[in-house]
Amino acid sequence: MKKTVLLFFLSFLCFKILPAQSLEKSVKDAFLISRMVEKFHVQPRPLDDEMSSAIFLRLLEGLDDDRIFFMQEDISKLSAFRLKIDDEIKNRDSSFLKLLITIFKQRLLQADTMADNICKKPFNFYINEKLTVAEDTSYPSGIAAMHTKIYKYLKLSVLNNLKNVVDNSSGKLQPKKIIDSLEPSLRKKANGSIKRFVKRILQSPQGVENVIGNIYCQTLVSCYDPHTAYFPPDVKNAFESMLGNKPSAFGFSLSEDEDGNPQIGRLQPGSPAFASGQINEGDKIMSIKWENKEAIDVSEAGMEEINHMLSESGGDKVTLTVKKADGTTRQVSLHKEKVDPADDADDNRVKGFLLKGSRTVGYISLPDFYSDWEDNAGGNGCANDVAKEIIKLKKENIEGLILDLRYNGGGSIREAVELTGIFIDAGPVAQMKTRDAKIATLKDVNRGTIFDGPLVLLVNSSSASASELVAGSLQDYNRALIVGSTTYGKATGQIVLPMDTTVNLEKYDGKSEAASYIKVTTMKLYRVNGKTAQVNGVVPNIVLPDPADAMPEREANEKFALSASAVDANKYYQPLAPLPVAAAESIAQKEIDSSAYFKKTIQFIQQAKMASQKKDVSLSIEDAMQKPRNKNEPPKVDDYPKKTQIFTVTNHAYEQRRIQANKNLKEANDDFKENLTNDPYVRVGYGVINAMIK
């Protein structure tokens, strides 16, 4: 205990004085955020004591969600600012931020040392110990309680991994043998997870003050609404790259080996990783070292964690230690460079296939609404790509089309309007309201259609924003039947602006360089019938069971989501004749009733909703072995017998020639085709098309 107290005292001396300049930008940006929101947000929330309390609680949750690092005395000190953060922001004061960073640094260092000391000895899984709900949900009362909580978290992590090994062995392995052989390596792995978290903050390329300062600003904007966000320059570039802008990147992806461990995946031609000549597919990343920082051991980290580290803002130069297939290691230094997404088109562009059975139906997957932000005239985004893909499919005499927008989180509103215009004649597509009282109409200005045949849109709870605009509009026009589960429920629009209150929205071209940016919600979107997808989502014509319904993560679950409202229907909106919903529902219901996958999905949802609340958790191996394995897992299509095929999946002629010219495309293409063949939602979509054909 004396050692721990001494470490605390030394840490306090080392970090009592924070670099003033490192906090100046965060304090200034927090002030500018409040001004920018007040000026541009469609429905700004007042920065008052209520907002201050929300920022306080959300910030603590973001830094220490498991309540491991902060102690009760820390919360008591910080609580003096609970109703004063609004005043701190308005007055550009950094008192709260300085105290927060000082305390958090101290606790991270303590936790790092505690974890090391705890993991020097094997865990005893034969004594009666529990992690109680009270411990799990409260901040430690002091140093000793913090030590105990970290000890129990580490022990529980090792215990869960040991139980997984025994469960996966079908009871053939004895717990004692497993403990003796695997406990040391699993203990090291558990310790490594805490150490990586600590280093990720203390050894960040941005500096710890900037890391926490950025979290402070991000927490502030998140309390206005879920989609207003604070962007340092690199984060802004990453966001725009998802919408089609050329991103800065190291040029490699991660994949998993046969044991589920992360490794280097595909190298992008022409990228820094490709040009280095020292990185190969299958290499394992052992450590990550940012410029002028200490190396972070990631040898036991998962793929998501490594991806998160490599995408950190401020890290333009990194040195990776990689382990080759022959066991040798190399250090490779890489600089981020602009990478043209056109070189990586297969990963984010549209894909089209033919479903051939009693009918020939086209299928197009659109995973993202991308656009070229440098192409102000348009015509270089996803709507144009979908149009070209439809033309290729029409040459194969398709009788209907399935457009798959599942998991499409949205993007460019302009692209959504243009995509809708592919399927309807010129006219209103959606409505929009900014801070002005007047409702603006978003129109398809191009007469005619690219495809006027039977159309099905596949959606799910992850279909959001631009996807919902397309689905809602085509549903209102009776132009398509929407099949799947209720969409996410985001019907707001954002614009990325430099942190500058003098910006003129009408003249801003999106190209200003700044030290920081804000993505601010400037508009609410409405359907042509006057309703909105905000919070409510788009309810499909044909509702199918979706595993995500067990634990819904939609706009309605967001604490600060803007409420739904309605406006008058657009007076120029004229729906087409009703579609055969009843006939389509009958076909879909037969599929649901005869599908083992859908039956299991319904059962999974029911059981998940009946899940019990938190309970004390035993840290005994005997109790863990007696606890039944959680069998209520989300169903996987591959786990169920394949139904009689009602269609085969083939490529259209253009894609066949492309694959013949580039054999590297064949494996991914074959996987995609097999997945489509067995996809129960696509199967329903195909049946619905049959019901729509007269």
Side-chain angles (χ1 to χ4, degrees):
M1 180 59 68
K2 289 182 180 178
K3 234 177 174 181
T4 306
V5 173
L6 178 61
L7 172 67
F8 173 80
F9 180 68
L10 290 173
S11 301
F12 182 79
L13 289 178
C14 291
F15 297 116
K16 189 172 184 179
I17 302 175
L18 295 174
Q21 190 172 0
S22 65
L23 291 182
E24 186 178 325
K25 181 178 181 302
S26 298
V27 170
K28 177 185 175 183
D29 280 356
F31 171 76
L32 285 174
I33 286 168
S34 67
R35 296 290 306 279
M36 295 285 288
V37 169
E38 185 179 344
K39 184 173 182 179
F40 298 116
H41 198 283
V42 65
Q43 190 178 317
R45 184 180 179 188
L47 184 60
D48 53 16
D49 287 356
E50 183 181 350
M51 179 75 149
S52 178
S53 179
I55 295 167
F56 179 82
L57 294 174
R58 183 162 278 209
L59 185 57
L60 293 180
E61 182 181 301
L63 290 173
D64 189 14
D65 187 32
D66 290 322
R67 303 190 175 192
I68 296 175
F69 304 110
F70 289 120
M71 298 192 302
Q72 290 178 14
E73 65 180 80
D74 303 329
I75 302 303
S76 179
K77 290 177 184 177
L78 293 168
S79 291
F81 291 92
R82 180 168 181 159
L83 301 180
K84 296 180 181 178
I85 295 177
D86 57 324
D87 300 317
E88 292 252 317
I89 292 170
K90 293 172 185 175
N91 298 324
R92 308 191 199 195
D93 195 338
S94 61
S95 300
F96 170 69
L97 204 47
K98 286 179 180 177
L99 179 62
L100 176 70
I101 294 172
T102 299
I103 292 173
F104 197 50
K105 274 186 171 181
Q106 295 164 5
R107 299 309 182 208
L108 288 178
L109 285 170
Q110 284 179 284
D112 188 58
T113 301
M114 286 179 185
D116 277 342
N117 289 333
I118 290 167
C119 289
K120 286 179 180 177
K121 298 178 181 178
F123 289 115
N124 184 349
F125 293 103
Y126 296 97
I127 57 176
N128 186 21
E129 279 185 321
K130 290 183 178 181
L131 174 64
T132 66
V133 173
E135 287 176 303
D136 193 28
T137 57
S138 61
Y139 292 103
S141 59
I143 293 289
M146 180 182 178
H147 185 279
T148 299
K149 190 165 186 177
I150 291 174
Y151 159 79
K152 289 186 176 182
Y153 265 60
L154 289 167
K155 186 174 182 179
L156 180 60
S157 174
V158 176
L159 179 62
N160 286 337
N161 282 323
L162 288 170
K163 177 171 169 55
N164 286 338
V165 173
V166 174
D167 286 345
N168 291 330
S169 72
S170 302
K172 295 177 183 178
L173 298 176
Q174 296 300 314
K176 188 176 186 314
K177 290 184 178 180
I178 292 293
I179 292 175
D180 292 342
S181 62
L182 294 182
E183 192 273 346
S185 62
L186 293 176
R187 181 167 20 105
K188 180 182 177 182
K189 182 177 181 179
N191 186 27
S193 65
I194 287 186
K195 295 185 75 64
R196 284 195 306 276
F197 176 83
V198 171
K199 279 197 170 186
R200 207 160 72 200
I201 294 176
L202 299 184
Q203 298 299 328
S204 168
Q206 305 174 57
V208 62
E209 287 78 22
N210 281 327
V211 169
I212 298 178
N214 285 344
I215 294 173
Y216 176 64
C217 290
Q218 288 160 353
T219 302
L220 166 62
V221 292
S222 73
C223 291
Y224 287 108
D225 79 87
H227 309 290
T228 292
Y230 169 74
F231 290 161
D234 280 7
V235 178
K236 185 243 188 186
N237 292 338
F239 171 75
E240 289 187 351
S241 74
M242 291 190 295
L243 301 180
N245 201 15
K246 297 182 179 73
S248 292
F250 295 120
F252 63 86
S253 62
L254 293 178
S255 63
E256 292 183 341
D257 63 17
E258 294 179 356
D259 297 321
N261 300 313
Q263 62 182 8
I264 298 290
R266 182 177 178 273
L267 301 182
Q268 189 162 350
S271 69
F274 188 92
S276 74
Q278 300 181 72
I279 293 181
N280 300 97
E281 185 174 344
D283 290 352
K284 180 175 172 57
I285 301 178
M286 307 301 291
S287 71
I288 296 172
K289 182 181 182 300
W290 297 108
E291 190 172 18
N292 300 321
K293 300 293 180 180
E294 293 179 16
I296 303 172
D297 181 1
V298 295
S299 57
E300 299 292 338
M303 191 157 68
E304 183 177 352
E305 189 175 356
I306 294 177
N307 268 323
H308 180 79
M309 289 189 204
L310 290 171
S311 63
E312 274 202 87
S313 173
D316 289 329
K317 181 182 179 181
V318 69
T319 299
L320 304 177
T321 300
V322 296
K323 187 175 184 180
K324 314 298 286 186
D326 60 4
T328 60
T329 59
R330 291 183 189 175
Q331 287 192 336
V332 186
S333 294
L334 301 174
H335 286 264
K336 276 185 181 176
E337 294 178 6
K338 292 281 187 180
V339 180
D340 189 346
D343 294 338
D344 206 26
D346 277 341
D347 287 340
N348 67 346
R349 301 295 182 179
V350 300
K351 294 180 184 294
F353 295 89
L354 295 165
L355 312 182
K356 291 190 173 184
S358 60
R359 307 280 187 180
T360 298
V361 174
Y363 168 90
I364 292 177
S365 167
L366 180 63
D368 287 295
F369 276 88
Y370 54 85
S371 64
D372 187 342
W373 284 40
E374 296 175 3
D375 174 28
N376 293 325
N380 226 359
C382 64
N384 187 56
D385 287 348
V386 169
K388 289 189 288 188
E389 199 70 13
I390 290 174
I391 291 170
K392 296 169 190 173
L393 291 169
K394 285 174 68 174
K395 291 180 179 179
E396 309 277 353
N397 300 316
I398 59 172
E399 300 170 80
L401 178 67
I402 298 172
L403 179 60
D404 195 343
L405 297 180
R406 290 176 296 173
Y407 304 103
N408 187 323
S412 168
I413 292 176
R414 182 185 73 184
E415 291 295 328
V417 171
E418 292 185 2
L419 180 63
T420 305
I422 289 174
F423 304 106
I424 65 167
D425 204 346
V429 169
Q431 302 183 89
M432 177 182 74
K433 185 182 183 301
T434 60
R435 291 169 67 103
D436 299 329
K438 186 177 179 182
I439 303 294
T441 301
L442 301 177
K443 302 176 183 177
D444 167 35
V445 297
N446 298 312
R447 296 209 65 84
T449 62
I450 302 295
F451 182 77
D452 59 4
L455 178 65
V456 160
L457 260 64
L458 295 181
V459 298
N460 63 7
S461 61
S462 296
S463 304
S465 189
S467 295
E468 295 176 287
L469 189 156
V470 175
S473 183
L474 294 178
Q475 187 180 56
D476 291 343
Y477 272 102
N478 292 328
R479 178 61 193 88
L481 286 181
I482 314 303
V483 176
S485 55
T486 301
T487 59
Y488 182 80
K490 176 186 180 294
T492 57
Q494 291 73 35
I495 184 172
V496 178
L497 298 171
M499 205 77 78
D500 179 359
T501 56
T502 66
V503 167
N504 185 326
L505 286 184
E506 294 180 0
K507 296 181 179 179
Y508 182 59
D509 61 4
K511 295 182 179 180
S512 296
E513 294 292 331
S516 300
Y517 300 82
I518 182 172
K519 176 166 71 82
V520 60
T521 300
T522 57
M523 68 184 77
K524 293 182 177 181
L525 297 170
Y526 298 89
R527 295 165 64 153
V528 286
N529 65 4
K531 297 178 181 179
T532 180
Q534 177 63 18
V535 175
N536 303 315
V538 176
V539 180
N541 304 98
I542 313 298
V543 178
L544 300 178
D546 182 355
D549 290 336
M551 297 290 289
E553 293 185 9
R554 293 185 170 96
E555 184 87 352
N557 306 109
E558 294 283 356
K559 188 173 183 181
F560 301 113
L562 300 184
S563 59
S565 58
V567 297
D568 293 335
N570 185 281
K571 61 183 180 181
Y572 297 107
Y573 147 65
Q574 295 292 330
L576 302 170
L579 293 170
V581 176
E585 282 181 333
S586 176
I587 289 175
Q589 192 59 52
K590 288 178 182 177
E591 280 294 331
I592 293 172
D593 293 342
S594 63
S595 167
Y597 169 81
F598 282 133
K599 288 178 182 176
K600 174 59 181 175
T601 298
I602 294 170
Q603 181 186 11
F604 168 73
I605 295 169
Q606 292 171 342
Q607 291 180 356
K609 288 182 176 179
M610 294 170 59
S612 59
Q613 295 181 344
K614 274 192 171 185
K615 297 179 181 178
D616 293 351
V617 179
S618 173
L619 301 177
S620 158
I621 190 70
E622 293 177 356
D623 291 341
M625 290 303 112
Q626 291 174 9
K627 185 179 178 181
R629 188 176 186 179
N630 181 18
K631 296 180 180 179
N632 191 36
E633 298 177 348
K636 299 176 183 176
V637 173
D638 292 342
D639 292 343
Y640 297 91
K642 294 180 174 58
K643 298 186 69 175
T644 303
Q645 290 186 7
I646 58 174
F647 59 77
T648 57
V649 183
T650 63
N651 296 108
H652 52 69
Y654 177 87
E655 190 68 11
Q656 288 177 9
R657 290 193 296 270
R658 185 165 168 264
I659 293 170
Q660 288 172 359
N662 185 352
K663 300 298 183 184
N664 294 330
L665 301 176
K666 187 177 185 305
E667 183 177 354
N669 180 72
D670 289 346
D671 288 344
F672 205 129
K673 286 163 60 177
E674 183 176 357
N675 290 336
L676 276 183
T677 301
N678 300 316
D679 190 322
Y681 299 93
V682 174
R683 184 182 175 99
V684 171
Y686 183 86
V688 169
I689 289 286
N690 274 322
M692 297 172 71
I693 296 175
K694 296 179 180 179

